[in-house]
């Protein structure tokens, strides 16, 4: 609408994830925090390489972070992409706590709008459509490349990618190479620069799990916090968070790119890791007031 | 009711005096410059509200601090100058500029404009091959062949663009339309030549088209296809009391009485016994040429009617009245009638020499230019082919005429294109077509064509005289019919519905009357060469009985229209005519927003941007009952996002709240009295529609500009583009110099660069020399 | 003027046409397809504007249809002939960067799956609609490649939806990226397009006349080609459109001449548009049925109202305009009225399906041999949502569709996938239609 005349439009983010590791959950939280600050816009979330519960988890996080009570038929709520063709991979263990957590009265703790597989979106359609939602979009791939390459291969999609997508970041830890043929075709087909975020980057930015859990103290119940606890392990390497952060802020000073590979600037390692954690564990900013009192019917 | 100088703010007057020789940067004292006179004020005063954070009305002057933006953001700068000159900015509740500051700013900016414009090469624009609209087709066929053809019934509606249906780029030919052109051509050709065999006669009913004009008077308008005898059958229904005298009924065609009959009104014994409705049919037989005709059946000198209450006049047990008109035919006439056919300059039965003459004459007029050998060869071939196929000479001529009517030379106005990028004058013959389709929505007449062929049309004195002649001709009614109806939006009355319970008087007759009033009004302004301010507050109009009743004006009865001088403040000009007020309302209620938007667009030349997506609707139940319309709409103004546009629209609409959704005057909306106060842009207030009009009158330059742009669009058949800026300015200046009279505007348009010239798109090909 | 002794009631018209055309035409001219086997499959699209009250549309359960309630209740008697498809989307209906104008986009992108170029003037740009993609391939086999019908008569001068030209809000079918195919909304014009204007002539005279028409059109083509050589740029494009139309009419005339069909409806054409909306709907759809039955065409689109239609429906007691009602913001009364309008449309559509079912063809009926799509490019008219669209697919497509079910697809599935599937049934295999991503599974269980 006509509200934000002075500010640049937020960058759209398309996040294709397997949602199987703690850093993926953190990256999703970070994305919504950035979105609440109007630094980014959530254009599309697509699950690949994991089972249906991963999609439900993404939906829960989305509802939680946008405090959205509008029903799914409204245009403002984006569906989550999920490939429904068999064979369907197993559900990631990390998400089960969040999904099954109940309140004192026995009702589910977290609202969700996805009940059945058909409440999710067709992944190739979503991955093509989502990049058109903003003039500038970035894509973070942290899952097998199967669906992204199919989306790029759809008629007219390549031109859309060329027009809208600024950069694509592939996360090695996300096992894009689980489908090597697709990854190869993707890099060949995609008309924009692809940056690889290797495992070394995530590991260089690893943070103790206890610190993350304590940073979530602002909410008595938080779906991402539950997943971090369930994921276990002493340290949490921040693969996806780093990739997302680079995609949105390539000039942050935390990273350098050589030959299409991301690398952490050694002196900034601790500061950047702290910044990433702060981002991912923040409370989302409140939306600006809508102003005036419209006559209610 | 006339605006007086005292109404114009002093600051503006002074500005006009201070910023004298605008447009030419040669001024004796230190000339006002951007850096000295504009930027400081922008910085200190304007940026208080128009900055990156606040951006009132979406304007952030941060980007405007550089003088080079005058060229790149010219439209925005022009708007800024307009607002400065009108005194709209700074707004009334902010610290004002001194007259000197304001004058210097305006002068600096306008000199910059003039400097930029000096180097602007006049670009007349380019309109592609321009297909005839439905109306133009029908008019052209009438003028060419004397055949009435209802193109609006036969052809699909024309696509519209920029608010008009005659935009060259938008008009297309689809296969469905081509099919219609072909069958229309055959039908028209048959009627143009006549003399064909008559089909076997029968009765055809057009019951749904019969209109009741008044008590005891009905009318049917229809097109007859053949020159023949027809039987007009009028059905009468009902009865009156046993002592009532019989009533006389006159049957007439096109205003001429054909037969008078005496209709008995007593209920006869059989019907009394059986309890059936009394019905009778009365017949009149007459020879009629094939064309459009108006059939009327009317009771004359019907004194008994006065004693029957209005409620019962449609009751077949209380009254008698004419019910329907059927037409039967065509019958072979008892004696041969000769109907002169416009197309036949000689008798085709005499042989092919005559046929060729007929076709040559027609082709020149139909193609609107001298005919070439190729044109004639084509038509003669068609004629010959028909003759070989066994058709009689008259019928063979028909086929050739049909070929003319589907030819692209007839259906399109094609102009020779100069090479790409080059600008050239259109030929006189092309100019004649532009002129006649602009002013008459029809083909050039003989005088115009001859002048064009003699290459004398473009001479300014000749051109001006022709325009004056054409405007005095009855055919100039096309401007009222086509331009005005689309400019004012009254053409959409055809699709308007009103809630029958709230507006029981709304019906087809009232709709027609509304359209006619506006059409006749525009025609009068045009014909009498009145100043265009008459559209705002001209104190006369044209009414018939029905419309006068709606307006509450006495002394006007009957279905025919006449000129009425208006004596009260309630009505004047065109913007408080029922037609305009109706199209700017919803079926069940008025709309302040629609009316405000209408005035902004049509009079003040400041169309508001479109609304955002999710606007909540009005709670209609309460309007006029618990809460006034005004109070509900105040919500627009409390929400700052809505206010930016609604602050400009709503007050204007409120000023028209005294007129309900069919244009009737009211002082109460339900139980709540109407409050018609509002604030005009710039700060002045008004409290009645009359005062609103005074303020509108003070904006003659904006109104003239708005009208000039719309009329230019209509005249050219393309939207007004940024490179037409200077042209529009010139049009406004010339109209102002001509005392704002409407013919001055028309003449200025005809004399303008885009009307007389054309920019080419054609890439010169190898067959450059092959012309048409 | 054709004069007869009958008055112009709609039923008379259709009865007359039906009886005179059916037997001689089918039996004499095309006996082959009256005997099933490779009977031609027909396709039609019905478009209703301003969305639908989805809470009373979508059946609760997936799978076999139980009793249909709410807006779909009128379709309950023929629920075994329909599929209800949920979760289809018109992605290009969404604003994306273009601001307001959801109605222009909804209709424009529905059959084309393409982005609607935002303009109120000359430079229209969209895409080819699914029905025209099919018509390009199989249209040559019938007298009319396709038939575009509409029920909205008045056109407004001016830009129709927030900067989108009226061309976008009135036209469902698009022949090319820049050329819409306007629907015929005048019953008389439709009658003439189907059966020709010269309905009463004896055969020999008719053939002579057709041959003269061909000559005229030939000559016109020749002179236009000569004219075109002198033109450039947009002039030439205009002439091109004209030439294409002339050529098409010429082909139709040639086909009509070679087929030697005598069509004698025997009574007068419909005079004008019926006053009551349900009668208008019935009159126009009756002619569609006839067009299919006599194989005048196999592809048809019907736009029940233009997008943003403000038609009021006094026949069911609604005096407010349709479009304003759909911006109810939750107001129960307005929503109820919207539902009533939706129900009226569904009821009339159900009548049409029943007529198709009751029209025998060979050992089957017309509905079995058709695929009729009914839907809208908007689901919630209040919020202007372009996904989870209301869509019904009726008919069996001659053994292709297995109806009687409610299928829920994954969200974001393009509605153009449905059209790709339909087109594949008639042997048209487009690469894609606009934004389609493939076939729609589950339509036929075979």
């Amino acid at each position: 609408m006509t509200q934000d005349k002075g500010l640049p439009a937020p960058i759209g983010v398309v996040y294709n994830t397997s949602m199987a590791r703690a850093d993926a959950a953190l990256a999703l939280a970070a994305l919504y925090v950035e979105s609440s600050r109007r630094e980014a816009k959530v254009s599309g979330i697509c699950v690949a390489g994991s089972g249906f519960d991963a999609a439900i988890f993404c939906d829960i996080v989305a509802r939680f972070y946008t405090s959205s009570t509008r029903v799914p038929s409204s245009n403002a709520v984006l569906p989550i992409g999920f490939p429904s063709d068999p064979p369907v991979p197993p559900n990631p263990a990390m998400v089960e706590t969040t999904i099954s957590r109940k309140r004192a009265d026995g009702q589910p703790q977290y609202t969700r709008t996805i009940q059945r597989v058909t409440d999710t979106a067709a992944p190739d359609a979503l991955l093509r459509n989502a990049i058109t939602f903003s003039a500038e979009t970035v894509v973070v791939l942290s899952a097998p490349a199967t669906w992204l390459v199919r989306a790029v291969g759809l008629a007219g999609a390549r031109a859309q990618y060329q027009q809208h997508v600024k950069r694509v970041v592939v996360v090695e830890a996300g096992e894009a190479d689980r489908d090597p043929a697709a990854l190869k075709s993707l890099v060949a087909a995609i008309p924009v620069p692809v940056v690889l975020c290797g495992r070394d980057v995530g590991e260089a930015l690893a943070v103790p799990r206890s610190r993350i859990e304590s940073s979530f103290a602002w909410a008595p119940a938080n779906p991402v916090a539950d997943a971090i606890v369930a994921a276990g392990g002493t340290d949490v390497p921040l693969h996806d968070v780093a990739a997302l952060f680079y995609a949105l802020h390539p000039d942050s000073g935390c990273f350098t790119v050589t030959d299409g590979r991301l690398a952490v600037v050694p002196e900034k390692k601790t500061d950047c890791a702290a910044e990433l954690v702060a981002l991912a564990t923040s409370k989302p900013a409140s939306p600006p007031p809508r102003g005036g009192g419209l006559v209610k019917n | 009711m006339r605006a007086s100088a005292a109404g114009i703010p002093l600051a503006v007057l002074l500005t006009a005096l201070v910023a004298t020789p605008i447009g030419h940067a040669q001024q004796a004292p230190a000339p006002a410059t951007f850096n000295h006179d504009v930027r400081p004020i922008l910085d200190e005063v304007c940026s208080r509200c128009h900055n990156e954070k606040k951006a009132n009305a979406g304007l952030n002057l941060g980007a405007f601090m550089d003088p080079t933006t005058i060229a790149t953001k010219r439209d925005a700068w022009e708007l800024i100058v307009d607002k400065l000159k009108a005194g709209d900015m700074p707004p009334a509740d902010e610290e004002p500029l001194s007259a000197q500051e304001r004058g210097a700013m305006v002068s600096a900016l306008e000199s910059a404009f003039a400097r930029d414009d000096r180097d602007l090469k006049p670009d007349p624009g380019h309109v592609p091959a321009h297909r005839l609209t439905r109306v133009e087709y029908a008019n052209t066929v009438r003028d060419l062949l004397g055949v009435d053809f209802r193109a609006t019934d036969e052809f699909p509606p024309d696509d519209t663009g920029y608010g008009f249906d005659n935009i060259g780029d938008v008009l297309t030919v689809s296969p469905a339309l081509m099919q219609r052109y072909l069958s229309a051509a055959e039908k028209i050709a048959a009627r143009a030549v006549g003399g064909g065999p008559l089909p076997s006669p029968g009765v055809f009913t057009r019951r749904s088209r019969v209109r009741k004009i008044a008590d005891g008077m009905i009318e049917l308008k229809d097109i007859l296809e053949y020159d023949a005898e027809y039987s007009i059958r009028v059905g009468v229904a009902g009865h009156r009391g046993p002592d009532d005298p019989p009533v006389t009924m006159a049957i007439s065609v096109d205003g001429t009485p054909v037969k008078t009959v005496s209709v008995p009104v007593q209920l006869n014994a059989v019907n009394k016994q059986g309890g059936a409705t009394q019905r009778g049919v009365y017949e009149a037989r007459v020879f009629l040429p094939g064309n459009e005709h108006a059939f009327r059946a009317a009771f004359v000198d019907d004194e008994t009617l006065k004693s029957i209450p209005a409620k019962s006049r449609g009751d077949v047990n209380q009254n008698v009245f004419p019910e329907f008109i059927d037409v039967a035919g065509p019958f072979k006439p008892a004696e041969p009638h000769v109907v002169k056919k416009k197309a036949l300059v000689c008798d085709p039965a005499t042989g092919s020499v005559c046929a060729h003459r007929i076709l040559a004459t027609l082709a020149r007029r139909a193609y609107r230019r001298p005919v070439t050998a190729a044109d004639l060869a084509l038509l003669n071939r068609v004629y010959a082919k028909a003759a070989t196929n066994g058709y009689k000479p008259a019928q063979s001529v028909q086929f050739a005429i049909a070929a003319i009517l589907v030819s692209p030379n007839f259906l399109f106005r094609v102009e020779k294109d100069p090479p790409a990028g080059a600008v050239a004058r259109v030929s006189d013959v092309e100019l004649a077509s532009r002129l006649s389709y602009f002013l008459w929505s029809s083909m050039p007449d003989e005088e115009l064509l001859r002048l064009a062929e003699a290459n004398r049309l473009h001479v300014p004195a000749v051109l001006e005289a022709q325009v004056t002649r054409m405007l005095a001709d009855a055919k100039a009614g096309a401007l009222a019919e086509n331009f005005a109806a689309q400019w004012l939006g009254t053409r959409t009355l055809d699709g308007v519905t009103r809630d029958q319970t709230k507006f029981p008087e709304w019906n087809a007759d009232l709709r027609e009357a509304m359209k006619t009033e506006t059409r006749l009004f525009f025609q009068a302004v045009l014909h009498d060469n009145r100043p265009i301010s008459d559209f705002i507050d001209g104190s006369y109009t044209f009414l018939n009985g029905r419309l006068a009743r709606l307006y509450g004006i006495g002394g006007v009865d009957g279905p025919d229209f006449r000129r009425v001088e208006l004596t009260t403040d309630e009505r004047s000009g065109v913007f408080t005519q029922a037609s305009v007020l109706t199209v700017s309302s919803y079926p069940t209620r008025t709309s302040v927003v629609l009316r405000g938007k209408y005035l902004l667009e049509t009079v003040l030349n400041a169309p508001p941007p479109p609304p955002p997506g999710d606007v909540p609707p009005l709670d209609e139940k309460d309007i006029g009952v618990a809460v006034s319309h005004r109070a509900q709409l105040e919500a627009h103004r409390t929400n700052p996002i809505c206010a930016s546009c609604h602050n400009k629209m709503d007050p204007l609409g409120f000023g028209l709240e005294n007129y309900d959704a069919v244009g009737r005057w009211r002082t109460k909306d339900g139980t709540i009295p109407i409050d018609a106060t509002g604030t005009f842009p710039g700060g002045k207030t008004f409290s009645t529609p009359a005062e609103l009009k005074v303020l509108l009158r003070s904006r003659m330059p904006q109104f003239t500009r708005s009208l000039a742009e719309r009329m230019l669009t209509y005249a050219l058949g393309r939207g007004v583009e940024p490179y037409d800026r200077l042209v529009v300015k010139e049009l406004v200046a010339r109209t102002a110099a001509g005392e704002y009279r409407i013919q001055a505007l028309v003449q200025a348009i005809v004399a303008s660069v885009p009307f007389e010239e054309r920019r080419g798109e054609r890439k010169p090909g190898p067959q450059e020399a092959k012309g048409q | 003027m054709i004069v007869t002794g009958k008055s112009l009631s709609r039923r008379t018209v259709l009865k007359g046409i039906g009886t005179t055309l059916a037997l001689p035409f089918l039996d004499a001219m095309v006996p082959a397809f009256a005997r099933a086997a490779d009977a031609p499959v027909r396709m039609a699209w019905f478009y209703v504007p301003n969305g639908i009250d989805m809470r009373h549309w979508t059946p609760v359960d997936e799978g076999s249809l139980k009793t249909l309630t709410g807006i779909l209740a009128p379709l309950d008697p023929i629920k075994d002939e329909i599929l209800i498809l949920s979760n289809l989307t018109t992605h290009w209906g969404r604003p994306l960067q273009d601001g307001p104008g959801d109605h222009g986009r909804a209709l424009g992108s529905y059959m084309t799956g393409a982005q609607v170029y935002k303009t109120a003037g000359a430079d229209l740009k969209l895409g080819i609609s699914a029905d025209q993609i099919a018509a390009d391939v199989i249209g040559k086999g019938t007298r009319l490649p396709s038939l575009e019908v509409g029920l909205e008569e008045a056109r407004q001068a001016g830009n129709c939806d927030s900067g989108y030209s009226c061309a976008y809000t009135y036209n469902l079918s698009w022949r090319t990226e820049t050329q819409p195919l306007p629907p015929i909304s005048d019953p008389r014009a439709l009658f003439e397009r189907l059966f020709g204007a010269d309905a009463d002539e004896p055969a020999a005279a008719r053939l002579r006349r057709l041959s003269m028409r061909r000559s005229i059109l030939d000559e016109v083509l020749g002179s236009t080609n000569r004219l075109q050589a002198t033109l450039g740029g947009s002039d030439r494009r205009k002439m091109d459109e004209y030439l294409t139309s002339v050529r098409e009419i010429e082909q139709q005339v040639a086909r009509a001449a070679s087929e030697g069909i005598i069509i004698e409806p025997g009574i007068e054409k419909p005079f004008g548009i019926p006053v009551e909306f349900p009668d208008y709907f019935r009159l126009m759809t009756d002619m569609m049925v006839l067009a299919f039955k006599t194989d005048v065409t196999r592809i048809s689109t019907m736009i029940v109202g233009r997008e943003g239609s403000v038609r009021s429906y006094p026949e069911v007691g609604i005096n407010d305009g349709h479009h304003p009602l759909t911006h109810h913001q939750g107001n129960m009364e307005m929503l109820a009225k919207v539902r009533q309008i939706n129900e009226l449309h569904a009821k009339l559509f159900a009548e049409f399906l029943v007529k198709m079912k009751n029209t025998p063809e060979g050992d089957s009926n017309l509905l079995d041999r058709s695929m009729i799509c009914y839907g809208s490019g908007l689901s919630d008219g209040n919020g202007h949502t372009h996904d989870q669209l209301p869509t019904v697919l009726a008919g069996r497509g001659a053994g292709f569709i297995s109806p009687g079910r409610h299928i829920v697809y994954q969200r974001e599935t393009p509605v153009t996938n449905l059209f790709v599937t339909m087109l594949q049934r008639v042997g048209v295999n487009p690469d894609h239609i606009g934004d389609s991503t493939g076939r729609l599974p589950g339509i036929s269980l075979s």
Side-chain angles (χ1 to χ4, degrees), chain C residues 125-146:
Chain C
K125 185 155 160 353
L126 186 50
I128 307 183
S129 54
D131 61 310
Q132 292 306 306
I133 295 177
D136 272 343
V137 177
I138 64 170
K140 296 188 217 36
T142 49
R143 189 154 68 79
L144 298 180
S146 66

Side-chain angles (χ1 to χ4, degrees), chain B residues 569-683:
Chain B
D569 264 354
E570 252 175 50
R571 308 249 170 210
S572 60
V574 86
F575 300 111
T576 46
Q577 286 181 357
S579 57
V580 167
L581 295 164
T582 305
V583 297
S584 57
S585 307
Y586 288 122
T588 49
R589 62 174 175 86
T590 60
S591 168
V592 161
V593 175
L594 283 182
R595 286 187 181 167
K597 177 168 175 269
Y598 183 96
L599 286 178
L600 274 185
E601 283 176 339
T602 318
V603 182
L604 296 177
N605 199 27
D614 48 353
V615 176
L618 227 37
D619 190 353
E620 257 179 60
K621 261 200 326 315
D622 285 345
I623 296 180
V625 177
V627 161
S628 76
H629 197 181
R630 172 181 289 267
Q632 295 212 308
L633 282 168
E634 290 296 339
H636 280 149
R637 266 89 76 61
T638 53
N639 180 338
I641 300 167
C642 307
S644 60
C645 298
H646 277 276
N647 270 340
K648 295 186 224 128
M649 280 196 280
D650 292 2
L652 297 176
F654 280 129
L656 294 176
E657 269 291 277
N658 281 109
Y659 306 96
D660 70 6
V662 289
R664 201 186 0 225
W665 176 269
R666 60 181 182 177
T667 47
K668 277 212 174 73
D669 179 7
T671 54
I672 301 182
I674 297 283
D675 172 12
T677 55
T679 322
F680 208 64

Side-chain angles (χ1 to χ4, degrees), chain A residues 45-224:
Chain A
I45 312 275
C46 184
V47 167
S50 287
F52 182 49
D53 284 354
I56 298 185
F57 178 80
C58 291
D59 181 44
I60 286 178
V61 173
R63 303 304 140 248
F64 183 87
Y65 274 85
T66 57
S67 307
S68 176
T69 50
R70 288 166 89 168
V71 289
S73 67
S74 164
N75 233 356
V77 170
L78 291 173
I80 313 275
F82 176 75
S84 56
D85 301 342
V88 176
N91 291 323
M94 169 182 90
V95 303
E96 295 309 326
T97 321
T98 306
I99 290 180
S100 51
R101 180 165 169 175
K102 301 236 186 304
R103 290 205 300 259
D105 61 4
Q107 294 299 314
Q109 174 73 43
Y110 303 111
T111 35
R112 69 218 59 189
T113 55
I114 290 185
Q115 316 281 2
R116 308 172 289 191
V117 171
T118 49
D119 292 330
T120 60
D124 48 353
L126 182 97
L127 288 170
R128 175 197 57 196
N129 295 350
I131 52 140
T132 61
F133 284 126
S134 287
E136 283 194 5
T137 310
V138 297
V139 177
V140 176
L141 172 64
S142 178
T146 328
W147 291 96
L148 188 57
V149 74
R150 258 188 238 184
V152 178
L154 289 173
R158 208 164 170 278
Q160 301 287 0
Y161 266 77
Q162 187 134 38
Q163 194 192 339
H164 291 277
V165 178
K166 287 296 155 262
R167 59 198 79 86
V168 177
V169 184
V170 178
V171 179
E172 199 179 0
E175 300 175 36
D177 52 1
R178 229 203 281 172
D179 189 346
L183 182 57
K184 199 150 153 251
S185 325
L186 178 71
V187 175
I190 225 165
V192 277
V194 177
V195 173
L196 181 65
C197 176
R199 283 176 210 272
D200 53 315
V201 172
E203 269 145 32
L205 294 168
V207 181
R209 187 159 63 84
S210 50
R211 189 158 93 186
I212 299 179
E213 284 176 26
S214 58
S215 305
F216 269 121
W218 52 268
N222 179 311
V224 177

